[in-house]
Amino acid sequence: LDAIRPWSSQLAIYPIVNTPNYTLCSVDTIATSLSMASGSEGQGSPPSTPQRPPNRLGQERSPYLLQHAHNPVDWYPWGQEAFDKARSEDKPIFLSVGYSTCHWCHVMERESFEDEEIGKTLSDNFVCIKVDREERPDVDKVYMTFVQATSGGGGWPMSVWLTPDLRPFIGGTYFPPKDSGRRPGLKTVLTRIMEQWQDNREALESSGERVIEALKKGTSIAANPGETPPPAHDVANRCFVQLAHSYEEEYGGFRDAPKFPSPVNLMFLMSFWSVNRSSTEGSEALQMTLHTLRMMALGGIHDHVAQGFHRYSTDSSWHVPHFEKMLYDQAQLAVAYISAYQVSGEQVFADVAQDILLYVSRDLSDKSGGFYSAEDADSLPAAGGSEKREGAFCVWMGSEVRELLPVVVEGATGGATEADIFMHHYGVKEQGNVDMEQDPHGELQGQNVLIVRYSVELTAARFGLSVAKVSELLASARAKMAEVRKSRPAPHLDTKMLASWNGLMLSGFARVGAVLDDKALLERAVQAAGFLKEHLWDAERQIMLRSCYRGDEMEVEQSVSPIAGFLDDYAYVICGLLDLYEATLQPEWLRWGEELQDRQDLLFWDAEGGGYYCSDPTDPTVLLRLKQDQDGAEPSANSVSALNLLRLSHYTGRKDWSQRSQQLLAAFSDRLTRVPIALPEMVRGLMANHYTLKQIVICGQRDAPDTSSLLATVNSLFLPHKVLMLADGETEGYLYQRLPILSSLTCQGGSATAYVCEDFTCALPVTDPQELRRLLLE
């Protein structure tokens, strides 16, 4: 790395910010709502102008690649055609990576990739490859690892220059088109690289080679022979201490600003509490979790008008968000909120979980049953104009609120109008409520981001009204504002459907549906699983596919060369299927989960060092064989797999999967021991291995009331270390064939009966739901 860092400095290749975790494009009555989104991808686009003929990207299906299809750049998608051209013409490769809802990707396209002069320079001197990081996370991870190692930060858009054999020699993120102060523009960078390619090529290639070799060693994760996982108690305690140290007490969350939702942290803290309920540390873990979730729900990161959560908050109080909405955030937050409801019994947490699923059902759902990837932060202002602005779809001027809610409320103090009450409650100001620090580009000047400033009780007292009256008034106002939002130019919708994120969302619907016994949510979960099996499972080749797309006629389309699934596609879908089985007790989902786990093991398992590679380790175009060692915006697929393997071993009786879970954890021993805060989801898997999963077997008829009562008791509790199964007497069925011991567990006295077991050594059977509750909480 020493050889390349001077080069990075000389070229002033820089990240957007200095912290890899935070970049401006970062690396955080429901039955009637299940209608599918129908907005077009181009919603919110400027009025049409004559377009250039499409380049090669016009043949792609990725919304991000299609956004660049009319650039004056000779773009290639990632693939052999581009690699062959680079080798035959002996040109360096310019690799540009981003995603369709990335704000700074839009900026760089507008400033540089739409520029004729820059386009010609790129096309004449480089082989230009455009990659959607959500389609090809394997490519993104390799070159982001390089950028972070050589520049100290990372983010998107990512810009990397490669030799024809795909080895990187320089990289950065966003570049302005022209020099700006001490920052070189893209034109300058391209000129210098062209000069060095001609005059100093051998040094460039040598540097690239050395960097890759250093990264191969530096990113290696493997267990030593005979190594076992670290002690779960010590690791969990250290993870708690590290999270408590980073916790921000006033508004919750784990840093001052910017603040990401970080559901993996919250799920760990609830699991930590579940085994430390009587300790001071356990109580503190629970308080940290519930306070964070409450403050997020009150904040502007939560869309109070159209539901769902934005990506992250730019300030410490969860007020002004980056307005992008990602499917993976909705999925994980739905699970976090419903888990908080199980823990606390507070209805507000269940309401927020339902609120999230309402948004996903309405705005991110395809009629096929799949889920779209994201909604952009930028859209055209309602007042008109050709330039999109961040948050334009979501924010409000005080005058708009007054015009929409002019009615004087009968009995309100001082003759207050609906607008007065609404503006007081949600912090709306005539001059706007966004500080300049949170609006560096002036896009939110005079605008308001809704944030709950007072409880309904305090607002009611302030205006001399009943709590019921104020609750009704606020709900009515939000509904009116939602109608106004529908008339605004909508942000771009990324209608790509990813197996991995659909797996996460499957868990969200299944978990919330089970806890609330909501049949509509469970039906939506089953529909999502059916979509995955129909459109993203290649039964002939026995592989998951990474993605599919919404076509022009609203049908599901696949690309000409479908992308094979990566580790997270398998791990997240398997987790979703296990959650769906526990929610519906339909064994077909367990059967498919077992099948997928076998395929995951075959494709990605490292037989020598333990753990799973993120992508196919035999792919020669992917230079680093990486194992993701951080639970970030999405959990590491290895973290998810640690618990999947353990759960499946209990459902199938396959001890080899329990052993494999241990081997995986052993491979990550060093990371778990030193910085468990980097892997809170994996710490949960380590804890589950240590504390042993309880097997909860309900013997009874599937839809009988007494069976349902026992199941409702189980689902009402937060039990992170359990598997739930139904023994319905069908001895030829899947579970009985896998677990013959189930035949010995029978109903007592003709009533549905619960058995709570460890390694199928069972406590005395119970038929009373309250007795079962007591047993489970012991």
Side-chain angles (χ1 to χ4, degrees):
L1 299 186
D2 291 340
I4 200 165
R5 281 206 171 102
W7 242 91
S8 299
S9 176
Q10 178 187 349
L11 283 173
I13 306 297
Y14 49 86
I16 293 173
V17 294
N18 292 323
T19 310
N21 244 356
Y22 170 57
T23 54
L24 294 181
C25 288
S26 62
V27 239
D28 253 291
T29 53
I30 206 161
T32 59
S33 76
L34 298 179
S35 59
M36 305 306 175
S38 58
S40 70
E41 288 180 24
Q43 286 178 323
S45 298
S48 60
T49 55
Q51 287 186 316
R52 304 176 188 87
N55 53 41
R56 284 174 195 79
L57 300 186
Q59 302 301 312
E60 297 297 308
R61 303 309 313 148
S62 157
Y64 176 63
L65 299 190
L66 289 172
Q67 286 174 347
H68 294 263
H70 295 276
N71 295 164
V73 178
D74 189 17
W75 289 118
Y76 284 77
W78 181 266
Q80 199 59 48
E81 183 183 6
F83 309 153
D84 290 344
K85 178 180 173 68
R87 292 185 184 112
S88 66
E89 297 184 9
D90 198 29
K91 288 181 178 178
I93 291 169
F94 170 59
L95 175 66
S96 176
V97 182
Y99 55 102
S100 80
T101 58
C102 161
H103 172 77
W104 285 93
C105 300
H106 302 333
V107 173
M108 192 163 176
E109 180 194 16
R110 184 172 65 248
E111 292 178 340
S112 295
F113 300 143
E114 288 289 344
D115 182 275
E116 295 282 354
E117 181 185 351
I118 291 177
K120 180 172 174 51
T121 300
L122 283 167
S123 301
D124 289 349
N125 299 282
F126 302 88
V127 174
C128 303
I129 299 179
K130 178 63 74 172
V131 167
D132 182 339
R133 67 171 296 261
E134 295 167 356
E135 273 193 333
R136 294 301 305 255
D138 55 337
V139 176
D140 177 63
K141 284 186 177 82
V142 167
Y143 296 107
M144 184 59 72
T145 300
F146 167 80
V147 170
Q148 289 177 330
T150 56
S151 71
W156 298 276
M158 177 169 61
S159 307
V160 191
W161 285 265
L162 323 176
T163 63
D165 61 358
L166 307 181
R167 298 182 182 278
F169 57 87
I170 209 72
T173 53
Y174 161 80
F175 292 97
K178 299 178 181 179
D179 296 354
S180 176
R182 296 170 60 187
R183 286 184 163 192
L186 183 60
K187 293 179 181 179
T188 300
V189 171
L190 293 175
T191 298
R192 292 185 184 175
I193 289 176
M194 287 155 49
E195 291 170 353
Q196 291 295 321
W197 186 253
Q198 293 299 320
D199 303 335
N200 200 25
R201 176 171 173 174
E202 185 176 340
L204 285 184
E205 293 180 324
S206 176
S207 294
E209 181 73 34
R210 289 202 301 275
V211 168
I212 288 297
E213 291 307 311
L215 290 177
K216 284 180 180 178
K217 294 177 183 177
T219 59
S220 176
I221 294 173
N224 297 317
E227 188 172 9
T228 58
H233 181 268
D234 294 346
V235 170
N237 281 344
R238 187 174 295 112
C239 189
F240 165 74
V241 169
Q242 290 177 347
L243 282 172
H245 182 71
S246 67
Y247 179 67
E248 195 275 294
E249 291 188 357
E250 185 173 5
Y251 294 102
F254 299 96
R255 59 193 298 170
D256 289 329
K259 275 188 178 170
F260 290 80
S262 303
V264 289
N265 291 344
L266 303 175
M267 293 305 296
F268 162 75
L269 288 170
M270 284 187 277
S271 295
F272 182 83
W273 164 82
S274 74
V275 295
N276 293 280
R277 297 180 190 223
S278 60
S279 72
T280 302
E281 292 82 4
S283 298
E284 186 179 349
L286 183 59
Q287 186 274 332
M288 288 161 59
T289 302
L290 299 184
H291 183 59
T292 296
L293 288 169
R294 287 190 193 102
M295 298 311 291
M296 284 171 51
L298 298 175
I301 191 174
H302 183 200
D303 188 338
H304 297 282
V305 171
Q307 300 82 43
F309 279 81
H310 300 294
R311 181 68 196 91
Y312 62 83
S313 175
T314 63
D315 56 75
S316 64
S317 61
W318 303 108
H319 179 203
V320 180
H322 173 45
F323 288 88
E324 176 184 26
K325 288 182 179 177
M326 305 300 297
L327 181 65
Y328 58 75
D329 282 325
Q330 317 309 319
Q332 295 175 87
L333 285 170
V335 172
Y337 273 99
I338 204 63
S339 299
Y341 171 66
Q342 290 176 303
V343 164
S344 69
E346 295 180 32
Q347 184 62 37
V348 63
F349 296 121
D351 292 344
V352 176
Q354 289 177 297
D355 169 287
I356 293 168
L357 299 187
L358 171 63
Y359 163 70
V360 173
S361 297
R362 185 191 63 236
D363 292 350
L364 295 183
S365 286
D366 188 80
K367 64 181 181 181
S368 66
F371 300 107
Y372 302 141
S373 293
E375 196 172 37
D376 205 344
D378 300 353
S379 59
L380 292 174
S386 60
E387 187 171 325
K388 293 184 178 183
R389 294 189 170 197
E390 166 127 13
F393 188 62
C394 302
V395 295
W396 302 88
M397 296 181 69
S399 58
E400 286 182 281
V401 178
R402 292 208 175 278
E403 184 177 343
L404 184 64
L405 305 172
V407 178
V408 175
V409 178
E410 184 178 353
T413 301
T417 65
E418 293 177 345
D420 291 326
I421 296 170
F422 186 91
M423 292 169 72
H424 173 82
H425 189 75
Y426 284 105
V428 176
K429 299 178 181 178
E430 303 291 354
Q431 71 275 21
N433 69 1
V434 178
D435 292 337
M436 290 178 60
E437 292 80 4
Q438 272 62 61
D439 184 29
H441 302 289
E443 294 176 300
L444 302 176
Q445 191 171 357
Q447 302 285 352
N448 290 272
V449 177
L450 303 185
I451 179 171
V452 177
R453 290 300 191 191
Y454 303 96
S455 67
V456 176
E457 290 78 8
L458 283 175
T459 297
R462 164 69 176 77
F463 291 98
L465 299 170
S466 70
V467 169
K469 175 66 175 177
V470 170
S471 296
E472 179 186 353
L473 184 152
L474 294 174
S476 172
R478 291 193 302 268
K480 291 176 183 176
M481 297 173 86
E483 288 301 312
V484 171
R485 286 251 299 249
K486 289 179 183 178
S487 68
R488 294 177 174 178
H492 160 74
L493 184 66
D494 187 324
T495 55
K496 176 174 69 269
M497 291 170 271
L498 299 172
S500 58
W501 296 359
N502 273 255
L504 290 175
M505 201 68 245
L506 170 57
S507 285
F509 275 91
R511 294 279 293 274
V512 178
V515 173
L516 301 181
D517 192 25
D518 188 313
K519 297 297 188 290
L521 296 182
L522 293 177
E523 287 171 7
R524 184 66 185 90
V526 169
Q527 188 186 17
F531 159 81
L532 283 161
K533 195 159 192 179
E534 179 179 355
H535 295 289
L536 289 170
W537 170 244
D538 186 330
E540 183 177 341
R541 297 163 62 198
Q542 290 286 290
I543 60 168
M544 290 295 300
L545 301 177
R546 174 63 177 175
S547 54
C548 59
Y549 311 87
R550 190 179 77 183
D552 295 336
E553 303 299 322
M554 305 296 287
E555 76 286 9
V556 176
E557 289 185 345
Q558 189 49 263
S559 57
V560 176
S561 300
I563 301 167
F566 303 103
L567 176 62
D568 59 354
D569 296 305
Y570 288 82
Y572 296 174
V573 170
I574 291 166
C575 181
L577 293 172
L578 297 180
D579 289 338
L580 182 59
Y581 169 73
E582 293 200 350
T584 65
L585 299 169
Q586 297 288 346
E588 65 183 286
W589 306 120
L590 267 187
R591 184 181 293 111
W592 191 30
E594 180 183 9
E595 184 179 358
L596 288 181
Q597 189 63 59
D598 277 326
R599 295 302 295 168
Q600 176 182 317
D601 291 352
L602 181 67
L603 293 169
F604 304 107
W605 180 252
D606 177 5
E608 293 182 7
Y612 294 97
Y613 293 113
C614 295
S615 59
D616 178 2
T618 66
D619 185 344
T621 68
V622 180
L623 303 183
L624 299 177
R625 300 197 302 173
L626 297 172
K627 299 174 188 174
Q628 185 71 20
D629 63 349
Q630 182 170 356
D631 296 321
E634 304 162 58
S636 159
N638 271 288
S639 298
V640 175
S641 294
L643 197 47
N644 286 350
L645 289 164
L646 194 60
R647 294 170 76 184
L648 279 166
S649 73
H650 285 268
Y651 281 123
T652 63
R654 289 179 55 173
K655 298 295 185 183
D656 59 315
W657 274 342
S658 177
Q659 294 164 359
R660 182 154 289 187
S661 181
Q662 294 269 328
Q663 292 165 350
L664 185 160
L665 293 165
F668 287 84
S669 284
D670 180 64
R671 187 81 157 161
L672 286 168
T673 301
R674 290 188 300 106
V675 279
I677 192 174
L679 286 165
E681 184 68 15
M682 190 173 287
V683 179
R684 293 182 70 224
L686 182 66
M687 293 167 66
N689 270 274
H690 172 76
Y691 288 104
T692 308
L693 298 187
K694 287 182 179 178
Q695 299 150 324
I696 305 172
V697 183
I698 307 297
C699 296
Q701 295 304 304
R702 181 176 301 278
D703 296 317
D706 53 354
T707 302
S708 297
S709 293
L710 293 174
L711 290 171
T713 298
V714 177
N715 288 328
S716 71
L717 300 173
F718 180 68
L719 302 168
H721 307 139
K722 69 101 170 61
V723 292
L724 172 65
M725 57 190 82
L726 176 69
D728 56 6
E730 296 181 11
T731 55
E732 299 301 314
Y734 171 84
L735 268 180
Y736 282 86
Q737 294 299 307
R738 294 293 187 276
L739 302 170
I741 195 171
L742 290 181
S743 297
S744 66
L745 305 180
T746 59
C747 294
Q748 302 292 301
S751 298
T753 303
Y755 294 83
V756 179
C757 318
E758 288 188 10
D759 290 330
F760 284 106
T761 299
C762 303
L764 291 174
V766 296
T767 58
D768 177 63
Q770 289 305 313
E771 185 67 15
L772 174 59
R773 180 183 178 86
R774 182 193 62 76
L775 193 61
L776 292 173
L777 290 176
E778 282 184 347

